[in-house]
Amino acid sequence: MPWTTPPGSGATVFVWNGYSLAERDRRWNAVRANAATAGFDCILVPLGDGIDARYMTQLRCSAMVLPTDGRAPIVVADRRSNNEWVPDPWQTGREWAEPMGEALRDLGFAHARIGVAGLKGGRVTHCYSMDGVVNHTALETAMSKVPNARFEDATDVIGLVRYVKSAEEIQFVRRSAEVAAAGLDELIRLARPGVDAGVFYSDVLAKMLALRSEYFPIALTIDAIDMAKPRRYTNPPIGRRLEAGAFITSEINAIMGAQLTQVCQPVLLGEIPDAWKPVIALQREVYEAGLQFIKPGVSFGALEDFVSGFGSNRGMRAILQMQGCGYGDDGPRFTLRTKSDRARDLAIEKNNTFVWKPMALSADGRIHFTFGGPVIVTETGCDALFKRDPELVSLA
């Protein structure tokens, strides 16, 4: 029996939901195909995995059971929440575990092998959440409704569909990159000694919101260029002002069509020190060489080794830094402190989208410089969407 919404409970949260029905069918069919290959009877997107749920339903608050055999899914959604993709979900208020379990039972999965999205971190999604994102209390309750079923991680079943973008998604990656670049332009326009740092942060964010980006925090540092451990802000730096000599690093994030992109280019309120110039030059070389190296068929392990090969003959280091564009926590994710060893053998594919931002460091690690932005992998290479020159912007 369909779940009945408790009266007067819950709240509706609306989000952008402009992808076509053809895009819905593409995603659902691709997930079904991956699930069948992995031997799952269905895929459960449970409470807690809001990213994959939005990807599969275009709803902000939902859970989903998608049968592998082509039958229609059951979607559990918050009260009064529906859209063109999911016109008749099971609507709920504050209770999610019971309808999730009822959906599994109603679809006949009492003895099934059930794949659970978001149960663990994946190779290309939920990369910062290695212990998973699901609400385990709700999942355990749902599991108790089908005690003879087997539940296993299926994060990559959806993740590897998210990893390769459709034409509709790429259109929004491009638009998102344009909005992020506009945010950086605004940052450079406003960055001057004496400016209130809280207002500065808010004005950059307001510029992107005015261009219809979804809200996503930007990250800033605004300390002196020789500061060993500058403070990182993801909220307005209340009570501070930009000072002469400030080294402003930023991660400018924008979201259009649910596609998160990022651009970064440091700004210095002063003259560039001579010690920094060779590091900046190395980063430019690595960045531009990487744009030529990234193409379908290249593994991430090969790309990481390619980047690491720069700088050693100059007494410096180069580090692979990149992440996926998409619905959030997309990968593979490589940073100065983290490596995605599980993705080293994964091949780059046409219509992948990444934030490409390698880092160059001095031998002692005291000087490091990062520049980069989104790229789209084409049939023969990649298209860089961030068109600024890879350099340190000096506002002396």
Side-chain angles (χ1 to χ4, degrees), residues 3 5-11 47 76-79 91-99 135 138:
W3 175 257
T5 310
S9 62
L47 180 67
V76 181
D78 62 346
R79 186 167 62 103
Q91 296 180 342
T92 188
R94 295 181 177 88
E95 176 60 74
W96 288 82
E98 290 290 332
N135 182 309

Side-chain angles (χ1 to χ4, degrees), residues 139-153:
L139 179 60
E140 286 178 5
T141 300
M143 291 169 63
S144 72
K145 301 296 182 181
V146 285
N148 295 315
R150 289 184 295 157
F151 290 79
E152 300 174 26
D153 178 59

Side-chain angles (χ1 to χ4, degrees), residues 95-112:
E95 176 60 74
W96 288 82
E98 290 290 332
M100 284 164 49
E102 292 296 329
L104 290 169
R105 202 156 56 184
D106 276 22
L107 287 167
F109 294 129
H111 298 84

Side-chain angles (χ1 to χ4, degrees), residues 282-326:
L282 174 61
Q283 200 278 338
R284 173 193 285 267
E285 184 178 348
V286 175
Y287 176 81
E288 293 178 343
L291 293 179
Q292 300 300 314
F293 191 79
I294 295 171
K295 57 176 63 71
V298 172
S299 72
F300 289 97
L303 178 60
E304 183 176 33
D305 295 343
F306 176 76
V307 170
S308 299
F310 283 81
S312 57
N313 61 340
R314 302 181 220 178
M316 293 181 284
R317 291 190 294 151
I319 302 294
L320 174 61
Q321 288 199 138
M322 67 186 308
Q323 64 200 49
C325 303

Side-chain angles (χ1 to χ4, degrees), residues 85-361:
W85 278 24
V86 187
D88 297 304
W90 289 8
Q91 296 180 342
T92 188
R94 295 181 177 88
E95 176 60 74
W96 288 82
E98 290 290 332
M100 284 164 49
E102 292 296 329
L104 290 169
R105 202 156 56 184
D106 276 22
L107 287 167
F109 294 129
H111 298 84
R113 183 167 178 252
I114 298 169
V116 183
L119 192 59
K120 299 178 182 178
R123 298 172 79 191
V124 292
T125 56
H126 301 301
C127 297
Y128 271 161
S129 305
M130 298 317 297
D131 293 325
V133 295
V134 306
N135 182 309
H136 283 274
T137 300
L139 179 60
E140 286 178 5
T141 300
M143 291 169 63
S144 72
K145 301 296 182 181
V146 285
N148 295 315
R150 289 184 295 157
F151 290 79
E152 300 174 26
D153 178 59
T155 301
D156 284 347
V157 168
I158 295 180
L160 291 171
V161 178
R162 288 173 51 187
Y163 174 63
V164 180
K165 303 296 188 285
S166 68
E168 285 189 43
E169 291 174 306
I170 286 175
Q171 173 188 354
F172 284 105
V173 171
R174 292 184 181 277
R175 289 176 60 181
S176 180
E178 291 172 358
V179 173
L184 179 63
D185 290 343
E186 185 75 353
L187 181 150
I188 293 171
R189 186 182 74 84
L190 297 172
R192 297 295 184 274
V195 169
D196 184 298
V199 174
F200 172 70
Y201 180 106
S202 300
D203 285 348
V204 173
L205 189 56
K207 174 68 174 182
M208 293 187 292
L209 294 176
L211 294 171
R212 300 296 185 265
S213 172
E214 294 184 28
Y215 171 79
F216 197 93
I218 61 178
L220 291 178
T221 68
I222 56 173
D223 290 308
I225 194 168
D226 58 356
M227 177 74 72
K229 294 183 178 180
R231 181 175 177 181
R232 187 173 188 266
Y233 294 91
T234 55
N235 284 299
I238 303 300
R240 293 198 60 182
R241 291 187 177 274
L242 301 184
E243 300 178 2
F247 181 56
I248 304 169
T249 69
S250 61
E251 294 175 352
I252 308 294
N253 303 290
I255 304 174
M256 300 292 290
Q259 301 298 322
L260 172 64
T261 63
Q262 181 188 106
V263 301
C264 53
Q265 182 169 27
V267 176
L268 176 63
L269 301 185
E271 299 286 348
I272 301 174
D274 288 342
W276 279 70
K277 292 178 181 178
V279 178
I280 295 168
L282 174 61
Q283 200 278 338
R284 173 193 285 267
E285 184 178 348
V286 175
Y287 176 81
E288 293 178 343
L291 293 179
Q292 300 300 314
F293 191 79
I294 295 171
K295 57 176 63 71
V298 172
S299 72
F300 289 97
L303 178 60
E304 183 176 33
D305 295 343
F306 176 76
V307 170
S308 299
F310 283 81
S312 57
N313 61 340
R314 302 181 220 178
M316 293 181 284
R317 291 190 294 151
I319 302 294
L320 174 61
Q321 288 199 138
M322 67 186 308
Q323 64 200 49
C325 303
Y327 274 64
D329 202 1
D330 293 85
R333 189 179 291 268
F334 293 84
T335 71
L336 176 62
R337 296 177 179 83
T338 61
K339 293 184 178 183
S340 187
D341 290 337
R342 293 182 303 158
R344 275 187 60 87
D345 62 344
L346 184 66
I348 294 171
E349 298 184 37
K350 178 186 176 184
N351 293 339
N352 286 161
T353 59
F354 305 114
V355 176
W356 166 242
K357 53 174 191 176
M359 175 187 288
L361 302 91

Side-chain angles (χ1 to χ4, degrees), residues 56-79:
M56 295 295 285
T57 68
Q58 292 202 109
L59 296 170
R60 175 62 181 87
C61 301
S62 64
M64 181 186 207
V65 180
L66 180 73
T68 302
D69 61 14
R71 286 179 292 155
I74 291 178
V75 174
V76 181
D78 62 346
R79 186 167 62 103

